[in-house]
Every structure is written in structure tokens, then in C-alpha cells.
Amino acid sequence: MKHEHLAGSARIGAGLALLSALLAPQAQATQLPPQNLAQLIARADVIVSGQVTALTDGFQDGLPYTEITLKVSSSAKKSLTVKSDYTIRQYGLLRARKLDDGRYLLPAKIEGMPSWQVGERVMAFMNKPAARSGFSTPVGLAQGKLTITGNKVSNGFNNVGLFEGMVVTPGLLRRNEARMLENRAGGVDLNTLQGLVQRSLKNNWLATGAMR
């Protein structure tokens, strides 16, 4: 039994060393590279809206993770079944954990890493899961995880920079979409944002340069 505890602690220690190496550039950064809406759409593997129904944490091959489960309400870029469960595994724990060797592992404090709450409604632009671990984060971390409040949606930076530098071919935007892109901070209308995302993908605006 003691052997198993030691082996488990060793795996966690090795995993934490790997985790530190993987996240060092983010942890040392003083500012996240800004990601506007066009970049979020272009870099996302899947764009999903839904409600957080469960949060759990644990270790996978020595790496700490938080698992987020969403009940899907809509999706883009990849088709997800409405009302199905969509799970995300993100680096870090929800709360401190005592290891077998008596040490405590604290939740990771990575600059810009989004937090999640059960019951929260979100729209998330998710990176493709890592090949080995399956872990993923929203594109631009908290920039790509938007919280829905009523009919408004806003990311962890109050949408600052969300539309900065975006260019769309004249005549393509509807009036409400054009007004939204003038927004410099604060919540925006959920239906307008989702509609613009869907139309940009359906009409291939990013690939043709109509949106950039």
C-alpha cells in the first residue's frame, strides 16, 4: 500500500513538473495577447452555448484538472446535439488537495484562466483538446469564455477588445451587428452575437477575407 502511495505521489509530482513547463509562458505573461471576435471564431475548434451543470476536479496521469459539464443549447463550427452533455477538462483544481505525502496542492493561479460556476450560462469558443491529455481551454482563456446574463453576454474582460481591429466587407453586416461592432466595452446582445457568428461561418467570411 505504501508503495502505491509513493508511486501516486511520484506521478503527481512528475505531472506537476510537466504542467509547470506547459503553462510557464502564460503564467509569466503580464498580459494576455488580445483576441477579437474574428480571431476567436477562426481559432475555435467548437463554439458552444449552454448551461454549466456540474464541476468536478481530480488528477489524470498526475495532472490536476477541473472538469466542466455543459448542457448544450446551441453550437457552431461543430454540430453538438441540443440538450446533450459537453465536457471540458481544464488545467487546475477547484480547491486545495492533500497529497499522499502530506503536501497540499493548491488550485493553479494562471493569469487569465476562466472560472466556471454551476448554473452559469455561457458561450465558449473552445480550443481543440490537447492530443495527449484531452485538456482544453477557451481561445484566449477568459477572453473566449462569455457569461450570459439575461439577453446580454460578456467575457472575463468585460468585452474590452472583443471587436477591436475587426474589418468586415461593407454591406454584409446588419444594422444591429454594425452597432455591436462599435462597442468598446460592456455586455452585448446574445442573439446578435450568435447570429453574426453563425452567418460568418455559413458564408465562409473568414476564409474569403470578408471578415478579418
Side-chain angles (χ1 to χ4, degrees):
M1 183 65 70
K2 186 175 181 180
H3 250 342
E4 292 176 1
H5 287 330
L6 290 174
S9 294
R11 283 196 300 272
I12 291 170
L16 292 177
L18 174 61
L19 177 61
S20 298
L22 290 171
L23 295 183
Q26 293 176 359
Q28 293 169 2
T30 57
Q31 184 177 356
L32 291 172
Q35 306 280 325
N36 65 26
L37 179 63
Q39 293 167 321
L40 295 180
I41 297 170
R43 294 169 183 172
D45 180 57
V46 62
I47 303 167
V48 57
S49 296
Q51 186 169 33
V52 179
T53 58
L55 291 173
T56 59
D57 63 2
F59 294 93
Q60 176 184 310
D61 298 327
L63 292 177
Y65 68 81
T66 291
E67 184 172 278
I68 304 103
T69 302
L70 304 180
K71 186 70 70 178
V72 175
S73 59
S74 66
S75 61
K77 222 169 186 185
K78 283 186 177 179
S79 181
L80 303 175
T81 303
V82 174
K83 295 186 179 180
S84 67
D85 288 337
Y86 176 75
T87 59
I88 302 158
R89 279 197 173 182
Q90 178 178 287
Y91 288 113
L93 298 172
L94 288 169
R95 58 190 65 82
R97 286 286 192 97
K98 187 175 182 180
L99 304 180
D100 292 335
D101 59 7
R103 293 179 300 162
Y104 280 88
L105 180 63
L106 301 177
K109 296 293 185 183
I110 306 302
E111 182 178 4
M113 188 73 82
S115 59
W116 310 77
Q117 300 292 328
V118 172
E120 180 182 27
R121 295 168 60 220
V122 302
M123 180 179 182
F125 296 76
M126 296 304 303
N127 282 305
K128 185 176 182 178
R132 288 181 61 188
S133 67
F135 290 5
S136 183
T137 60
V139 179
L141 301 182
Q143 296 173 87
K145 181 253 180 177
L146 289 74
T147 298
I148 302 167
T149 305
N151 65 340
K152 297 289 186 179
V153 61
S154 180
N155 65 21
F157 299 95
N158 197 31
N159 290 344
V160 172
L162 185 59
F163 308 114
E164 190 74 31
M166 283 183 60
V167 178
V168 181
T169 299
L172 291 180
L173 292 176
R174 295 169 178 164
R175 186 175 300 177
N176 60 343
E177 294 169 344
R179 285 199 302 266
M180 181 179 70
L181 264 58
E182 294 173 356
N183 188 69
R184 291 294 169 258
V188 297
D189 183 75
L190 172 64
N191 292 331
T192 302
L193 180 63
Q194 288 181 325
L196 178 57
V197 170
Q198 293 281 2
R199 292 202 310 121
S200 70
L201 291 168
K202 180 180 179 181
N203 296 296
N204 217 21
W205 288 353
L206 292 165
T208 61
M211 175 189 280
R212 57 191 186 279

Short mmCIF file of all heavy atoms in Angstrom, two decimals, residues 48-107:
data_model
loop_
_atom_site.label_atom_id
_atom_site.label_comp_id
_atom_site.label_asym_id
_atom_site.label_seq_id
_atom_site.Cartn_x
_atom_site.Cartn_y
_atom_site.Cartn_z
N VAL A 48 -19.66 26.67 -28.44
CA VAL A 48 -20.79 26.03 -27.78
C VAL A 48 -21.43 26.99 -26.79
O VAL A 48 -20.75 27.73 -26.08
CB VAL A 48 -20.34 24.73 -27.06
CG1 VAL A 48 -19.22 24.99 -26.06
CG2 VAL A 48 -21.51 24.04 -26.39
N SER A 49 -22.76 26.99 -26.76
CA SER A 49 -23.52 27.72 -25.75
C SER A 49 -24.29 26.71 -24.92
O SER A 49 -24.78 25.70 -25.44
CB SER A 49 -24.49 28.71 -26.41
OG SER A 49 -23.79 29.70 -27.14
N GLY A 50 -24.40 27.00 -23.63
CA GLY A 50 -25.13 26.08 -22.75
C GLY A 50 -25.02 26.51 -21.31
O GLY A 50 -24.49 27.57 -20.99
N GLN A 51 -25.51 25.64 -20.44
CA GLN A 51 -25.51 25.92 -19.00
C GLN A 51 -24.58 24.95 -18.29
O GLN A 51 -24.58 23.74 -18.59
CB GLN A 51 -26.91 25.80 -18.43
CG GLN A 51 -27.02 26.22 -16.96
CD GLN A 51 -28.45 26.35 -16.51
OE1 GLN A 51 -29.34 25.64 -16.97
NE2 GLN A 51 -28.72 27.28 -15.60
N VAL A 52 -23.78 25.47 -17.37
CA VAL A 52 -22.89 24.62 -16.58
C VAL A 52 -23.74 23.81 -15.60
O VAL A 52 -24.44 24.38 -14.76
CB VAL A 52 -21.85 25.46 -15.82
CG1 VAL A 52 -20.94 24.55 -14.98
CG2 VAL A 52 -21.02 26.31 -16.77
N THR A 53 -23.68 22.49 -15.71
CA THR A 53 -24.49 21.63 -14.84
C THR A 53 -23.66 20.91 -13.78
O THR A 53 -24.22 20.43 -12.79
CB THR A 53 -25.24 20.58 -15.67
OG1 THR A 53 -24.29 19.81 -16.42
CG2 THR A 53 -26.23 21.25 -16.63
N ALA A 54 -22.34 20.82 -13.98
CA ALA A 54 -21.51 20.12 -12.99
C ALA A 54 -20.07 20.58 -13.08
O ALA A 54 -19.57 20.91 -14.17
CB ALA A 54 -21.59 18.61 -13.21
N LEU A 55 -19.41 20.60 -11.92
CA LEU A 55 -17.98 20.88 -11.82
C LEU A 55 -17.35 19.84 -10.91
O LEU A 55 -17.81 19.62 -9.79
CB LEU A 55 -17.73 22.27 -11.23
CG LEU A 55 -18.11 23.50 -12.05
CD1 LEU A 55 -17.94 24.77 -11.21
CD2 LEU A 55 -17.27 23.60 -13.31
N THR A 56 -16.32 19.18 -11.39
CA THR A 56 -15.57 18.23 -10.57
C THR A 56 -14.08 18.46 -10.82
O THR A 56 -13.70 19.14 -11.78
CB THR A 56 -15.92 16.77 -10.91
OG1 THR A 56 -15.62 16.53 -12.31
CG2 THR A 56 -17.39 16.49 -10.67
N ASP A 57 -13.23 17.92 -9.95
CA ASP A 57 -11.79 18.01 -10.20
C ASP A 57 -11.12 16.71 -9.81
O ASP A 57 -11.73 15.82 -9.20
CB ASP A 57 -11.17 19.22 -9.51
CG ASP A 57 -11.28 19.17 -7.98
OD1 ASP A 57 -11.80 18.16 -7.44
OD2 ASP A 57 -10.84 20.13 -7.32
N GLY A 58 -9.86 16.58 -10.19
CA GLY A 58 -9.13 15.35 -9.91
C GLY A 58 -7.78 15.37 -10.59
O GLY A 58 -7.25 16.44 -10.93
N PHE A 59 -7.21 14.17 -10.78
CA PHE A 59 -5.90 14.04 -11.42
C PHE A 59 -6.01 13.05 -12.58
O PHE A 59 -6.67 12.02 -12.48
CB PHE A 59 -4.86 13.54 -10.42
CG PHE A 59 -4.57 14.51 -9.32
CD1 PHE A 59 -5.25 14.45 -8.11
CD2 PHE A 59 -3.63 15.51 -9.50
CE1 PHE A 59 -4.99 15.36 -7.10
CE2 PHE A 59 -3.36 16.43 -8.49
CZ PHE A 59 -4.05 16.35 -7.28
N GLN A 60 -5.34 13.38 -13.66
CA GLN A 60 -5.25 12.48 -14.80
C GLN A 60 -3.78 12.36 -15.17
O GLN A 60 -3.15 13.35 -15.55
CB GLN A 60 -6.04 13.05 -15.99
CG GLN A 60 -5.92 12.24 -17.27
CD GLN A 60 -6.64 12.90 -18.43
OE1 GLN A 60 -7.80 13.27 -18.31
NE2 GLN A 60 -5.96 13.04 -19.56
N ASP A 61 -3.22 11.16 -15.04
CA ASP A 61 -1.79 10.95 -15.30
C ASP A 61 -0.92 11.96 -14.54
O ASP A 61 0.07 12.46 -15.07
CB ASP A 61 -1.50 11.02 -16.80
CG ASP A 61 -2.24 9.95 -17.59
OD1 ASP A 61 -2.42 8.85 -17.03
OD2 ASP A 61 -2.64 10.21 -18.73
N GLY A 62 -1.32 12.26 -13.30
CA GLY A 62 -0.55 13.16 -12.47
C GLY A 62 -0.86 14.63 -12.67
O GLY A 62 -0.32 15.47 -11.95
N LEU A 63 -1.69 14.97 -13.65
CA LEU A 63 -2.02 16.37 -13.90
C LEU A 63 -3.35 16.73 -13.25
O LEU A 63 -4.33 16.02 -13.40
CB LEU A 63 -2.12 16.63 -15.41
CG LEU A 63 -0.82 16.52 -16.21
CD1 LEU A 63 -1.10 16.73 -17.69
CD2 LEU A 63 0.20 17.54 -15.72
N PRO A 64 -3.40 17.86 -12.53
CA PRO A 64 -4.66 18.29 -11.92
C PRO A 64 -5.59 18.89 -12.97
O PRO A 64 -5.15 19.59 -13.87
CB PRO A 64 -4.20 19.36 -10.91
CG PRO A 64 -2.96 19.92 -11.50
CD PRO A 64 -2.28 18.79 -12.23
N TYR A 65 -6.86 18.59 -12.83
CA TYR A 65 -7.82 19.13 -13.79
C TYR A 65 -9.11 19.53 -13.09
O TYR A 65 -9.45 19.03 -12.02
CB TYR A 65 -8.14 18.11 -14.89
CG TYR A 65 -8.91 16.90 -14.42
CD1 TYR A 65 -10.30 16.94 -14.24
CD2 TYR A 65 -8.26 15.71 -14.12
CE1 TYR A 65 -11.01 15.84 -13.79
CE2 TYR A 65 -8.95 14.60 -13.66
CZ TYR A 65 -10.33 14.66 -13.50
OH TYR A 65 -11.02 13.58 -13.04
N THR A 66 -9.83 20.44 -13.73
CA THR A 66 -11.23 20.72 -13.41
C THR A 66 -12.06 20.31 -14.61
O THR A 66 -11.74 20.69 -15.74
CB THR A 66 -11.44 22.22 -13.11
OG1 THR A 66 -10.79 22.55 -11.90
CG2 THR A 66 -12.92 22.55 -12.97
N GLU A 67 -13.08 19.52 -14.37
CA GLU A 67 -13.96 19.09 -15.46
C GLU A 67 -15.26 19.89 -15.39
O GLU A 67 -15.92 19.93 -14.36
CB GLU A 67 -14.25 17.60 -15.37
CG GLU A 67 -15.10 17.09 -16.54
CD GLU A 67 -15.23 15.59 -16.56
OE1 GLU A 67 -14.31 14.93 -17.07
OE2 GLU A 67 -16.25 15.08 -16.04
N ILE A 68 -15.60 20.52 -16.51
CA ILE A 68 -16.80 21.34 -16.62
C ILE A 68 -17.77 20.63 -17.55
O ILE A 68 -17.40 20.23 -18.66
CB ILE A 68 -16.46 22.73 -17.20
CG1 ILE A 68 -15.39 23.43 -16.36
CG2 ILE A 68 -17.71 23.59 -17.32
CD1 ILE A 68 -14.01 23.41 -16.97
N THR A 69 -19.01 20.45 -17.10
CA THR A 69 -20.03 19.83 -17.94
C THR A 69 -21.08 20.87 -18.29
O THR A 69 -21.63 21.54 -17.42
CB THR A 69 -20.71 18.65 -17.23
OG1 THR A 69 -19.71 17.68 -16.87
CG2 THR A 69 -21.74 17.98 -18.13
N LEU A 70 -21.34 21.00 -19.60
CA LEU A 70 -22.35 21.94 -20.10
C LEU A 70 -23.52 21.15 -20.67
O LEU A 70 -23.33 20.12 -21.33
CB LEU A 70 -21.79 22.83 -21.21
CG LEU A 70 -20.55 23.68 -20.93
CD1 LEU A 70 -20.20 24.48 -22.19
CD2 LEU A 70 -20.79 24.61 -19.78
N LYS A 71 -24.74 21.66 -20.45
CA LYS A 71 -25.91 21.17 -21.16
C LYS A 71 -26.06 22.06 -22.40
O LYS A 71 -26.31 23.25 -22.29
CB LYS A 71 -27.16 21.26 -20.29
CG LYS A 71 -28.41 20.64 -20.91
CD LYS A 71 -28.30 19.13 -20.99
CE LYS A 71 -28.37 18.46 -19.63
NZ LYS A 71 -28.31 16.98 -19.69
N VAL A 72 -25.88 21.48 -23.58
CA VAL A 72 -25.79 22.24 -24.82
C VAL A 72 -27.13 22.85 -25.21
O VAL A 72 -28.15 22.16 -25.23
CB VAL A 72 -25.27 21.35 -25.97
CG1 VAL A 72 -25.28 22.10 -27.30
CG2 VAL A 72 -23.88 20.82 -25.65
N SER A 73 -27.12 24.15 -25.52
CA SER A 73 -28.30 24.81 -26.07
C SER A 73 -28.13 25.12 -27.56
O SER A 73 -29.10 25.13 -28.31
CB SER A 73 -28.63 26.09 -25.30
OG SER A 73 -27.56 27.00 -25.34
N SER A 74 -26.88 25.36 -27.99
CA SER A 74 -26.58 25.58 -29.41
C SER A 74 -25.09 25.42 -29.63
O SER A 74 -24.30 25.42 -28.68
CB SER A 74 -27.04 26.97 -29.87
OG SER A 74 -26.30 27.99 -29.23
N SER A 75 -24.71 25.27 -30.89
CA SER A 75 -23.29 25.11 -31.20
C SER A 75 -23.03 25.61 -32.61
O SER A 75 -23.94 25.77 -33.42
CB SER A 75 -22.86 23.64 -31.09
OG SER A 75 -23.58 22.83 -32.00
N ALA A 76 -21.76 25.87 -32.88
CA ALA A 76 -21.33 26.29 -34.21
C ALA A 76 -19.95 25.71 -34.49
O ALA A 76 -19.23 25.33 -33.57
CB ALA A 76 -21.29 27.82 -34.30
N LYS A 77 -19.61 25.65 -35.75
CA LYS A 77 -18.35 25.10 -36.24
C LYS A 77 -18.36 23.57 -36.18
O LYS A 77 -17.93 22.91 -37.11
CB LYS A 77 -17.14 25.69 -35.52
CG LYS A 77 -16.00 26.01 -36.47
CD LYS A 77 -14.92 26.82 -35.85
CE LYS A 77 -13.92 27.22 -36.94
NZ LYS A 77 -12.74 27.92 -36.36
N LYS A 78 -18.80 23.01 -35.09
CA LYS A 78 -19.09 21.58 -34.99
C LYS A 78 -20.50 21.44 -34.45
O LYS A 78 -20.91 22.22 -33.59
CB LYS A 78 -18.10 20.87 -34.07
CG LYS A 78 -16.74 20.62 -34.69
CD LYS A 78 -15.87 19.77 -33.77
CE LYS A 78 -14.53 19.47 -34.42
NZ LYS A 78 -13.66 18.67 -33.52
N SER A 79 -21.22 20.47 -34.95
CA SER A 79 -22.61 20.30 -34.53
C SER A 79 -22.69 19.41 -33.30
O SER A 79 -22.25 18.26 -33.31
CB SER A 79 -23.43 19.68 -35.68
OG SER A 79 -24.78 19.52 -35.29
N LEU A 80 -23.24 19.98 -32.23
CA LEU A 80 -23.46 19.23 -30.99
C LEU A 80 -24.97 19.09 -30.78
O LEU A 80 -25.73 20.03 -31.05
CB LEU A 80 -22.84 19.95 -29.80
CG LEU A 80 -21.34 20.24 -29.88
CD1 LEU A 80 -20.90 21.06 -28.67
CD2 LEU A 80 -20.54 18.96 -29.97
N THR A 81 -25.40 17.95 -30.31
CA THR A 81 -26.82 17.71 -30.10
C THR A 81 -27.36 18.59 -28.98
O THR A 81 -26.78 18.65 -27.89
CB THR A 81 -27.07 16.23 -29.76
OG1 THR A 81 -26.53 15.41 -30.81
CG2 THR A 81 -28.55 15.95 -29.61
N VAL A 82 -28.45 19.29 -29.27
CA VAL A 82 -29.08 20.13 -28.26
C VAL A 82 -29.50 19.28 -27.06
O VAL A 82 -30.02 18.17 -27.22
CB VAL A 82 -30.30 20.88 -28.85
CG1 VAL A 82 -31.06 21.64 -27.77
CG2 VAL A 82 -29.85 21.84 -29.94
N LYS A 83 -29.24 19.78 -25.86
CA LYS A 83 -29.52 19.13 -24.58
C LYS A 83 -28.56 17.98 -24.26
O LYS A 83 -28.72 17.31 -23.25
CB LYS A 83 -30.97 18.64 -24.48
CG LYS A 83 -31.99 19.78 -24.50
CD LYS A 83 -33.40 19.27 -24.27
CE LYS A 83 -34.40 20.41 -24.26
NZ LYS A 83 -35.78 19.94 -24.04
N SER A 84 -27.55 17.77 -25.13
CA SER A 84 -26.53 16.77 -24.81
C SER A 84 -25.53 17.39 -23.83
O SER A 84 -25.48 18.60 -23.63
CB SER A 84 -25.81 16.31 -26.07
OG SER A 84 -25.04 17.37 -26.63
N ASP A 85 -24.71 16.53 -23.19
CA ASP A 85 -23.66 17.00 -22.29
C ASP A 85 -22.37 17.19 -23.07
O ASP A 85 -21.98 16.33 -23.87
CB ASP A 85 -23.42 15.99 -21.16
CG ASP A 85 -24.56 15.98 -20.14
OD1 ASP A 85 -25.27 17.00 -20.05
OD2 ASP A 85 -24.72 14.96 -19.46
N TYR A 86 -21.72 18.31 -22.84
CA TYR A 86 -20.42 18.61 -23.44
C TYR A 86 -19.44 18.86 -22.30
O TYR A 86 -19.69 19.71 -21.44
CB TYR A 86 -20.52 19.83 -24.35
CG TYR A 86 -19.20 20.28 -24.95
CD1 TYR A 86 -18.61 19.59 -26.00
CD2 TYR A 86 -18.55 21.41 -24.46
CE1 TYR A 86 -17.41 20.01 -26.56
CE2 TYR A 86 -17.33 21.84 -25.00
CZ TYR A 86 -16.78 21.13 -26.05
OH TYR A 86 -15.57 21.53 -26.59
N THR A 87 -18.35 18.12 -22.25
CA THR A 87 -17.42 18.23 -21.14
C THR A 87 -16.09 18.83 -21.57
O THR A 87 -15.62 18.59 -22.69
CB THR A 87 -17.15 16.87 -20.46
OG1 THR A 87 -16.61 15.96 -21.43
CG2 THR A 87 -18.43 16.31 -19.89
N ILE A 88 -15.52 19.61 -20.68
CA ILE A 88 -14.23 20.27 -20.88
C ILE A 88 -13.36 19.91 -19.69
O ILE A 88 -13.82 19.95 -18.55
CB ILE A 88 -14.40 21.80 -20.92
CG1 ILE A 88 -15.37 22.23 -22.02
CG2 ILE A 88 -13.05 22.50 -21.08
CD1 ILE A 88 -15.98 23.59 -21.78
N ARG A 89 -12.12 19.55 -19.94
CA ARG A 89 -11.16 19.37 -18.86
C ARG A 89 -10.11 20.47 -18.97
O ARG A 89 -9.40 20.56 -19.97
CB ARG A 89 -10.51 17.99 -18.89
CG ARG A 89 -11.39 16.93 -18.26
CD ARG A 89 -10.65 15.67 -17.90
NE ARG A 89 -11.53 14.78 -17.16
CZ ARG A 89 -11.17 13.60 -16.66
NH1 ARG A 89 -9.91 13.17 -16.83
NH2 ARG A 89 -12.02 12.85 -15.99
N GLN A 90 -10.03 21.29 -17.94
CA GLN A 90 -9.15 22.45 -17.89
C GLN A 90 -8.10 22.23 -16.80
O GLN A 90 -8.39 21.64 -15.77
CB GLN A 90 -10.01 23.68 -17.57
CG GLN A 90 -9.27 24.99 -17.43
CD GLN A 90 -10.25 26.13 -17.17
OE1 GLN A 90 -10.96 26.55 -18.06
NE2 GLN A 90 -10.28 26.62 -15.94
N TYR A 91 -6.88 22.69 -17.04
CA TYR A 91 -5.82 22.56 -16.04
C TYR A 91 -6.22 23.19 -14.72
O TYR A 91 -6.82 24.25 -14.68
CB TYR A 91 -4.54 23.23 -16.53
CG TYR A 91 -3.84 22.49 -17.64
CD1 TYR A 91 -3.77 23.05 -18.91
CD2 TYR A 91 -3.23 21.26 -17.42
CE1 TYR A 91 -3.12 22.39 -19.95
CE2 TYR A 91 -2.59 20.58 -18.46
CZ TYR A 91 -2.53 21.16 -19.72
OH TYR A 91 -1.90 20.51 -20.73
N GLY A 92 -5.84 22.55 -13.63
CA GLY A 92 -6.02 23.12 -12.30
C GLY A 92 -7.17 22.51 -11.53
O GLY A 92 -8.07 21.89 -12.10
N LEU A 93 -7.12 22.68 -10.23
CA LEU A 93 -8.12 22.13 -9.33
C LEU A 93 -9.12 23.20 -8.89
O LEU A 93 -8.86 24.40 -8.98
CB LEU A 93 -7.44 21.56 -8.08
CG LEU A 93 -6.47 20.41 -8.29
CD1 LEU A 93 -5.74 20.10 -6.98
CD2 LEU A 93 -7.19 19.17 -8.80
N LEU A 94 -10.26 22.74 -8.40
CA LEU A 94 -11.26 23.65 -7.84
C LEU A 94 -10.86 24.13 -6.45
O LEU A 94 -11.14 25.27 -6.08
CB LEU A 94 -12.62 22.93 -7.75
CG LEU A 94 -13.35 22.66 -9.05
CD1 LEU A 94 -14.52 21.71 -8.80
CD2 LEU A 94 -13.85 23.95 -9.68
N ARG A 95 -10.22 23.25 -5.70
CA ARG A 95 -9.87 23.58 -4.32
C ARG A 95 -8.59 22.83 -3.94
O ARG A 95 -8.16 21.91 -4.67
CB ARG A 95 -11.01 23.17 -3.37
CG ARG A 95 -11.38 21.70 -3.42
CD ARG A 95 -12.64 21.39 -2.66
NE ARG A 95 -13.79 22.02 -3.28
CZ ARG A 95 -14.44 21.51 -4.33
NH1 ARG A 95 -14.05 20.36 -4.88
NH2 ARG A 95 -15.49 22.14 -4.85
N ALA A 96 -7.99 23.20 -2.83
CA ALA A 96 -6.75 22.57 -2.40
C ALA A 96 -6.96 21.08 -2.14
O ALA A 96 -8.01 20.67 -1.64
CB ALA A 96 -6.21 23.25 -1.15
N ARG A 97 -5.96 20.29 -2.47
CA ARG A 97 -6.00 18.84 -2.23
C ARG A 97 -4.78 18.41 -1.42
O ARG A 97 -3.66 18.85 -1.69
CB ARG A 97 -5.96 18.08 -3.57
CG ARG A 97 -7.24 18.10 -4.38
CD ARG A 97 -8.29 17.19 -3.78
NE ARG A 97 -9.39 17.01 -4.72
CZ ARG A 97 -9.51 15.96 -5.54
NH1 ARG A 97 -8.58 15.02 -5.54
NH2 ARG A 97 -10.54 15.87 -6.35
N LYS A 98 -4.99 17.53 -0.43
CA LYS A 98 -3.89 16.97 0.33
C LYS A 98 -3.38 15.73 -0.40
O LYS A 98 -4.15 14.82 -0.71
CB LYS A 98 -4.33 16.61 1.74
CG LYS A 98 -3.17 16.16 2.64
CD LYS A 98 -3.64 15.93 4.07
CE LYS A 98 -2.49 15.54 4.97
NZ LYS A 98 -2.92 15.31 6.37
N LEU A 99 -2.08 15.69 -0.67
CA LEU A 99 -1.48 14.57 -1.36
C LEU A 99 -1.10 13.46 -0.38
O LEU A 99 -1.10 13.66 0.84
CB LEU A 99 -0.23 15.03 -2.14
CG LEU A 99 -0.45 16.17 -3.14
CD1 LEU A 99 0.87 16.52 -3.82
CD2 LEU A 99 -1.51 15.78 -4.17
N ASP A 100 -0.77 12.29 -0.91
CA ASP A 100 -0.45 11.14 -0.07
C ASP A 100 0.78 11.39 0.81
O ASP A 100 0.90 10.80 1.89
CB ASP A 100 -0.19 9.91 -0.95
CG ASP A 100 -1.45 9.43 -1.64
OD1 ASP A 100 -2.55 9.71 -1.12
OD2 ASP A 100 -1.34 8.79 -2.70
N ASP A 101 1.69 12.27 0.36
CA ASP A 101 2.90 12.52 1.14
C ASP A 101 2.72 13.65 2.15
O ASP A 101 3.68 14.11 2.77
CB ASP A 101 4.09 12.81 0.22
CG ASP A 101 3.87 14.03 -0.67
OD1 ASP A 101 2.85 14.74 -0.47
OD2 ASP A 101 4.70 14.28 -1.56
N GLY A 102 1.48 14.15 2.30
CA GLY A 102 1.20 15.17 3.29
C GLY A 102 1.23 16.59 2.76
O GLY A 102 0.79 17.52 3.44
N ARG A 103 1.75 16.78 1.55
CA ARG A 103 1.78 18.13 0.97
C ARG A 103 0.38 18.51 0.48
O ARG A 103 -0.46 17.65 0.23
CB ARG A 103 2.75 18.20 -0.20
CG ARG A 103 4.22 18.04 0.18
CD ARG A 103 5.08 18.10 -1.07
NE ARG A 103 4.73 17.03 -2.01
CZ ARG A 103 5.06 17.04 -3.29
NH1 ARG A 103 5.73 18.07 -3.80
NH2 ARG A 103 4.72 16.03 -4.07
N TYR A 104 0.16 19.81 0.33
CA TYR A 104 -1.10 20.30 -0.22
C TYR A 104 -0.85 20.87 -1.61
O TYR A 104 0.12 21.62 -1.82
CB TYR A 104 -1.72 21.38 0.68
CG TYR A 104 -2.44 20.81 1.88
CD1 TYR A 104 -1.75 20.55 3.07
CD2 TYR A 104 -3.80 20.54 1.83
CE1 TYR A 104 -2.41 20.02 4.16
CE2 TYR A 104 -4.46 20.01 2.93
CZ TYR A 104 -3.77 19.76 4.09
OH TYR A 104 -4.42 19.24 5.18
N LEU A 105 -1.73 20.52 -2.53
CA LEU A 105 -1.67 21.09 -3.87
C LEU A 105 -2.78 22.13 -3.99
O LEU A 105 -3.96 21.83 -3.79
CB LEU A 105 -1.86 19.99 -4.93
CG LEU A 105 -1.83 20.47 -6.38
CD1 LEU A 105 -0.45 21.06 -6.71
CD2 LEU A 105 -2.12 19.31 -7.32
N LEU A 106 -2.38 23.36 -4.27
CA LEU A 106 -3.34 24.46 -4.36
C LEU A 106 -3.86 24.60 -5.78
O LEU A 106 -3.20 24.19 -6.75
CB LEU A 106 -2.67 25.77 -3.92
CG LEU A 106 -2.10 25.79 -2.50
CD1 LEU A 106 -1.41 27.13 -2.25
CD2 LEU A 106 -3.20 25.56 -1.48
N PRO A 107 -5.06 25.18 -5.93
CA PRO A 107 -5.56 25.43 -7.29
C PRO A 107 -4.59 26.31 -8.07
O PRO A 107 -3.98 27.22 -7.51
CB PRO A 107 -6.88 26.18 -7.04
CG PRO A 107 -7.29 25.77 -5.66
CD PRO A 107 -6.02 25.58 -4.90
#
